[in-house]
Amino acid sequence: VSQSRYSGVNYVAYLFATAAGVSKVGSYTGTGALQTINCGFASGARFVLIKRTDSTGDWWVYDSARGITSGNDPYLLLNSTAAEVTGTNYVDTASTGFQVTAAAPAGLNANGGTYIFLAIAIGPPKLFEAGISPENTLPNPLILSLIVLDAN
């Protein structure tokens, strides 16, 4: 990193990639109305991270541990120390991924807004490809990289 906002501090980057049927990294344009984000999953998303990119915005996190259900979608904001928020209906699971509802605020679904997301599928990861025996060693299909840059 040749250009940084602060010198003498540590930086962390989390990098994610799409793995068919397991995780999806993508983007969508907000409509202000209910929309389904197709991630290519068989049973919906168990984890969703969303960030608005064309304006200021939070890092919204929804997961099955907190409960992604129609009518009550608890969430956390990763860039905030605030407690979990409950009693909202902003993000729901859908058979192929997830839905952003018409009730969602501009941080999730403003008409014309641009958003990036990471979604992880419900169910165990697909560990073996067709024609490969279970005895063979395969890398985990969910790619997660962590880079720590020490400015010292």
Side-chain angles (χ1 to χ4, degrees), residues 1-11 149-152:
V1 177
S2 61
Q3 303 253 339
S4 63
R5 187 170 179 185
Y6 302 102
S7 63
V9 297
N10 295 329
Y11 292 90
L149 303 173
D150 191 343
N152 294 326

Side-chain angles (χ1 to χ4, degrees), residues 74-146:
Y75 65 86
L76 292 172
L77 299 175
L78 291 184
N79 56 305
S80 171
T81 58
E84 174 184 290
V85 177
T86 61
T88 66
N89 188 30
Y90 300 158
V91 172
D92 294 322
T93 192
S95 61
T96 60
F98 65 97
Q99 292 180 322
V100 183
T101 70
L108 294 169
N109 195 16
N111 189 22
T114 334
Y115 303 86
I116 57 172
F117 70 87
L118 163 67
I120 298 175
I122 292 172
K126 182 176 77 173
L127 296 176
F128 304 104
E129 297 177 10
I132 307 284
S133 71
E135 294 80 28
N136 291 347
T137 303
L138 296 175
N140 188 331
L142 177 61
I143 300 167
L144 166 63
S145 299
L146 170 65

